[in-house]
Amino acid sequence: MARSRPRVWLVAGCAALLLWASVAQLVAVGRLLVLFGLAGGAPAPSPPPSSLPPPPPRIYRSNGYLQISCNGGLNQMRSEICDMVAVARLLNLTMVVPELDKRSFWADQSNFGDIFDVRHFITSLRDEVRIVKRLPKRFDTTNSSIILEMPPVSWSDEKYYLQQILPLFSKYKVIHFNKADARLANNGISTELQMVRCRVNFHALKFTPQIEALGNKLVQKLRDKGSFVALHLRYEMDMLAFSGCNHGLNPEESEELKRMRYAYPWWREKEIDSKAKRSEGLCPLTPEETSLVLKALGFQKDTLVYIAAGEIYGGEKRLEPLRTAFPKLVRKEMLLDSEALRQFQNHSSQMAALDFIVSTASDVFFPTYDGNMAKLVEGHRRYIQQQFHLLSNGFSSGYD
């Protein structure tokens, strides 16, 4: 009897190990289905939710509070938030939930919580950075002796924040970056800090359930029609005004866009040589050029093309060459009834979030300009592919 006990324990141990391995495989398969969907292997709109409890909070002594006011469109603001969380992590700062741009051309009054899931943002990063919804009541926001208003110097590296920003907290309790376009990722930051940025981008910045639901509904309606191309047709009024690109426009349109560029002081470039800029490849493709490129790439006339963009400058007349080449040209307004879109209308960032979801889930994503949206969608699609590769080989990204 005594001799048989080790065998019993051995058999029990092997059975438990086998059961654990089976469960792990089922979880991996389930995640793959979430990532790529059941229809055509297309990637899902967002990475799979974590099946594990959140990590324990990181214990550290806060050096002060960091407030940020983002500037630009949705995808630029998204990059800025990733940068500022990394800065807060680097300097051991308590971060206040970001304030989104309400003064730009789009005049969108959306708050952070109208676009992103605030609770998820805070809890998913709690082992990296302490984040609060607002400054404590003890701070008088009009008191300049404890709150410093300033923009960070763009294109700065970690040394700038450690040597010039951190010492300011010996005098001030709060620093408010009133413009957050810091471009931190372009300056050779450490791998650790880059990983924080990635964690914010791919995991913490999750859209609200309302946006996710409507975005997924859009994706399903498109998939019901077959495979589709998400076309980020960056031929909108703000893009053309900012860039100074006037190819294909008449003199009246060119003058209108020039006046608009002068009206916004933060669009710093004023006198622009449109021909020189175009020759350097710094202008977005026109709708007509887009149709030629798509045809040259082998897309057929019956290809379903979803326009992931705002209102095209020149309206339907400007879109005519593209629609002639690809008659199955659709927008979200054509796929969803007006009641479903009502709460998102007049909120350009929320509408852009819907386009982002469709673009990450499309069979093909085609940008006509290498801007923030193009880079972020490419990054998300690459990340989803990497997740698929890791899971299919029995590995985890480490962020689950």
Side-chain angles (χ1 to χ4, degrees):
M1 180 69 91
R3 220 181 295 169
S4 64
R5 283 180 182 174
R7 294 182 182 177
V8 172
W9 284 111
L10 180 62
V11 170
C14 290
L17 185 62
L18 181 61
L19 179 61
W20 179 87
S22 300
V23 171
Q25 287 296 323
L26 286 172
V27 170
V29 170
R31 287 178 179 171
L32 290 178
L33 293 176
V34 171
L35 274 170
F36 284 85
L38 297 173
S46 58
S50 174
S51 59
L52 298 176
R58 186 171 68 93
I59 306 300
Y60 70 101
R61 179 182 175 84
S62 175
N63 289 317
Y65 288 84
L66 177 65
Q67 278 187 305
I68 69 164
S69 294
C70 299
N71 55 292
L74 173 66
N75 293 291
Q76 179 175 316
M77 291 192 290
R78 188 181 187 116
S79 295
E80 293 167 12
I81 293 167
C82 294
D83 285 347
M84 292 297 102
V85 171
V87 169
R89 174 66 174 83
L90 176 68
L91 304 184
N92 274 358
L93 302 177
T94 298
M95 186 176 187
V96 182
V97 167
E99 176 184 307
L100 303 188
D101 192 340
K102 296 179 174 63
R103 302 178 302 140
S104 66
F105 163 79
W106 305 275
D108 187 345
Q109 296 303 306
S110 298
N111 294 314
F112 185 93
D114 295 321
I115 300 173
F116 300 108
D117 186 325
V118 177
R119 179 179 292 181
H120 178 79
F121 179 69
I122 293 172
T123 57
S124 65
L125 293 171
R126 72 177 193 172
D127 64 322
E128 298 286 357
V129 178
R130 181 171 177 248
I131 302 173
V132 295
K133 292 183 179 179
R134 59 190 66 85
L135 279 175
K137 291 181 179 179
R138 67 178 183 274
F139 291 122
D140 178 4
T141 55
T142 62
N143 188 348
S144 60
S145 66
I146 61 171
I147 298 180
L148 174 63
E149 296 260 350
M150 63 171 290
V153 176
S154 293
W155 308 95
S156 298
D157 58 14
E158 294 172 59
K159 188 181 296 184
Y160 163 78
Y161 291 97
L162 288 167
Q163 296 181 358
Q164 298 190 44
I165 299 300
L166 184 58
L168 295 174
F169 283 95
S170 63
K171 180 179 180 182
Y172 300 96
K173 301 294 184 183
V174 182
I175 290 183
H176 178 201
F177 284 158
N178 49 26
K179 185 180 177 184
D181 188 16
R183 306 288 177 177
L184 181 67
N186 303 87
N187 298 286
I189 62 175
S190 65
T191 301
E192 181 184 9
L193 217 57
Q194 187 63 273
M195 288 177 68
V196 173
R197 292 186 71 259
C198 290
R199 185 165 192 172
V200 179
N201 192 23
F202 299 128
H203 290 265
L205 288 174
K206 180 182 178 183
F207 293 126
T208 64
Q210 294 83 0
I211 290 176
E212 289 278 359
L214 196 58
N216 291 337
K217 185 176 180 179
L218 264 174
V219 171
Q220 192 58 55
K221 281 181 174 291
L222 288 161
R223 284 182 179 161
D224 289 344
K225 300 175 184 294
S227 59
F228 68 96
V229 175
L231 172 64
H232 188 220
L233 188 59
R234 199 68 170 96
Y235 205 76
E236 300 140 313
M237 190 177 189
D238 64 291
M239 179 68 230
L240 298 174
F242 173 74
S243 66
C245 297
N246 57 21
H247 176 76
L249 304 177
N250 61 44
E252 291 77 17
E253 290 172 327
S254 297
E255 186 59 31
E256 178 185 31
L257 295 174
K258 184 177 180 179
R259 286 196 304 270
M260 180 181 170
R261 184 167 68 254
Y262 275 87
Y264 290 91
W266 47 87
W267 288 356
R268 290 171 296 204
E269 290 187 84
K270 298 300 181 183
E271 295 301 326
I272 297 175
D273 186 336
S274 179
K275 289 184 178 179
K277 202 162 188 178
R278 179 174 163 81
S279 68
E280 294 171 3
L282 300 177
C283 290
L285 296 177
T286 68
E288 183 177 12
E289 290 169 335
T290 301
S291 67
L292 295 174
V293 173
L294 286 172
K295 285 193 288 187
L297 289 172
F299 290 98
Q300 302 301 308
K301 192 168 185 175
D302 63 347
T303 300
L304 178 61
V305 180
Y306 173 88
I307 296 182
E311 185 177 347
I312 304 304
Y313 189 57
E316 284 299 317
K317 185 178 179 181
R318 191 81 67 195
L319 278 173
E320 191 175 335
L322 181 59
R323 192 176 293 282
T324 300
F326 298 95
K328 295 171 68 174
L329 197 67
V330 297
R331 308 175 64 101
K332 50 187 164 291
E333 293 83 356
M334 299 167 62
L335 297 169
L336 299 170
D337 58 65
S338 57
E339 186 60 35
L341 276 174
R342 189 185 303 279
Q343 63 176 312
F344 301 102
Q345 288 173 335
N346 301 320
H347 296 285
S348 60
S349 292
Q350 295 182 47
M351 297 287 265
L354 296 175
D355 286 336
F356 186 90
I357 291 173
V358 174
S359 297
T360 54
S362 62
D363 296 276
V364 176
F365 173 68
F366 184 89
T368 61
Y369 181 76
D370 187 28
N372 292 305
M373 169 83 160
K375 291 181 173 68
L376 281 167
V377 171
E378 179 186 359
H380 271 257
R381 293 173 71 96
R382 285 179 180 274
Y383 176 75
I384 291 171
Q385 291 290 337
Q386 181 196 50
Q387 286 287 86
F388 171 75
H389 176 74
L390 289 171
L391 291 171
S392 63
N393 286 282
F395 296 99
S396 168
S397 65
Y399 284 133
D400 294 335

